[in-house]
Amino acid sequence: MDFWAQKRIWIIGASSGIGEGLVKVLAENGAKLIISARNESKLIELKAAFPFAEIEVLILDVENHSSLPEKTDQAWQLFEGLDYVFLNAGMAVRDLVVDSRLDVERKIMDINFWGPVSITKVLLKKKNPDSKLHLVLTSSLSGKYGVPKLAAYAASKHAIQGYFDSLRVETFGSGLFIHIVIPGFIRTNITVAGLRGDGSTSGKMQNALAGGMDPEVCALGILRGLERGKEEFVVGGSERYTVPLNRFFPTLMKRLIRSNPLQRIKNIRKTLFGK
Ligand SMILES: NC(=O)c1ccc[n+]([C@@H]2O[C@H](COP(=O)([O-])OP(=O)(O)OC[C@H]3O[C@@H](n4cnc5c(N)ncnc54)[C@H](OP(=O)(O)O)[C@@H]3O)[C@@H](O)[C@H]2O)c1
């Protein structure tokens, strides 16, 4: 993967799951990394695991929007510019709409949508017209269709899709490249660290994720897609077929979702692959 050697890369949401997987693969492939999240000790531990790699730790909270211009400025200065920025930090809330507090739903939008937008606005001003900059957004299958108990999370990911699809068109030919990654079921802490509608931490891993793809395998899939210059792509197991299914057969897809999609996907997987 020579492609990534010496590339200046900022990974936001690097302390766990998919972001951590990206750090591991990119560090081993000679990239210059800035790793960001709130959990300082985890980031320092991650940096120490790759003593041969060029890694800078930059602590930030994407929910604290007023701090993001300065943080983005610092990230830009560290390697005198950036080639790839992974806007990957995310949080989930899982509950019925009727049981979800508005402030909890707003928090999800603040982290998953307004965080990446705030950082992007600063980056757009910093980018030299002759240079290239790749923004990599982590969306979700629920950025493509609605899912029960994930309304606010799905809204934040739909918002990412709409905003960054628009920005891509607006800036075509300027050297800014927008990539939207849609992970399927990846075995990470997203549901463990996620919230219930009342704001309490869930602490539980969702079954679909427990049986999902390893985050490092997901990271490899993401990097391959980016090497090929893909604008939008899904990385995951058989659940990735729900995207074309929804696109071409939306009525059927809605019917499937109403009748417990996760169980159905599991049943289909069992029938097709015996697991
Ligand atoms: N796992 C899946 O199946 C799946 C599927 C579709 C999409 N995704 C998306 O993939 C992305 C990565 O999630 P993951 O699955 O790898 O989950 P994860 O293991 O929980 O990782 C989430 C990352 O986001 C960071 N983060 C959360 N809130 C933050 C904040 N306020 N400020 C800064 N960083 C923050 C966390 O770091 P700190 O806690 O240290 O701040 C952590 O590094 C998310 O955008 C998620 O929505 C995941």
Side-chain angles (χ1 to χ4, degrees), residues 150-170:
L150 283 182
Y153 181 76
S156 71
K157 297 299 186 180
H158 273 73
I160 287 277
Q161 295 270 167
Y163 194 96
F164 286 91
D165 279 346
S166 305
L167 180 62
R168 187 193 289 118
V169 182
E170 203 175 295

Side-chain angles (χ1 to χ4, degrees), residues 13 15-16 18 38-39 61-62 88 90 138-139 153 157 184 186 188:
S15 63
S16 162
I18 298 170
R38 293 165 303 176
N39 188 336
D61 180 348
V62 292
N88 171 70
T138 313
S139 180
Y153 181 76
K157 297 299 186 180
I186 317 299
T188 72

Side-chain angles (χ1 to χ4, degrees), residues 128-200:
N128 178 316
D130 305 324
S131 67
K132 289 181 180 170
L133 175 64
H134 295 256
L135 302 184
V136 186
L137 283 303
T138 313
S139 180
S140 163
L141 293 174
S142 60
K144 288 293 179 187
Y145 48 81
V147 179
K149 291 195 173 177
L150 283 182
Y153 181 76
S156 71
K157 297 299 186 180
H158 273 73
I160 287 277
Q161 295 270 167
Y163 194 96
F164 286 91
D165 279 346
S166 305
L167 180 62
R168 187 193 289 118
V169 182
E170 203 175 295
T171 57
F172 182 76
S174 71
L176 183 77
F177 300 90
I178 310 267
H179 309 271
I180 298 185
V181 177
I182 303 169
F185 301 149
I186 317 299
R187 203 166 52 249
T188 72
N189 275 333
I190 190 83
T191 52
V192 181
L195 305 177
R196 298 192 192 89
D198 63 3
S200 61

Side-chain angles (χ1 to χ4, degrees), residues 40-146:
E40 185 169 13
S41 56
K42 185 65 208 283
L43 292 178
I44 290 171
E45 197 183 296
L46 199 51
K47 174 181 158 81
F50 299 95
F52 52 85
E54 212 171 330
I55 301 182
E56 301 283 347
V57 171
L58 179 64
I59 305 305
L60 61 73
D61 180 348
V62 292
E63 199 181 346
N64 182 355
H65 301 148
S66 62
S67 72
L68 296 177
E70 196 187 332
K71 294 288 180 183
T72 308
D73 203 43
Q74 283 172 16
W76 192 266
Q77 306 282 336
L78 280 167
F79 298 133
E80 294 175 351
L82 291 162
D83 300 306
Y84 280 78
V85 179
F86 288 83
L87 295 149
N88 171 70
M91 182 168 262
V93 59
R94 191 174 157 73
D95 225 325
L96 295 172
V97 169
V98 70
D99 295 329
S100 299
R101 278 187 356 223
L102 185 60
D103 64 315
V104 175
E105 297 191 322
R106 269 192 213 281
K107 181 182 178 75
I108 298 303
M109 287 302 285
D110 280 343
I111 294 171
N112 296 0
F113 178 64
W114 290 114
V117 168
S118 307
I119 292 169
T120 298
K121 283 183 177 294
V122 183
L123 290 170
L124 290 179
K125 293 267 188 306
K126 296 214 154 283
K127 186 187 161 304
N128 178 316
D130 305 324
S131 67
K132 289 181 180 170
L133 175 64
H134 295 256
L135 302 184
V136 186
L137 283 303
T138 313
S139 180
S140 163
L141 293 174
S142 60
K144 288 293 179 187
Y145 48 81

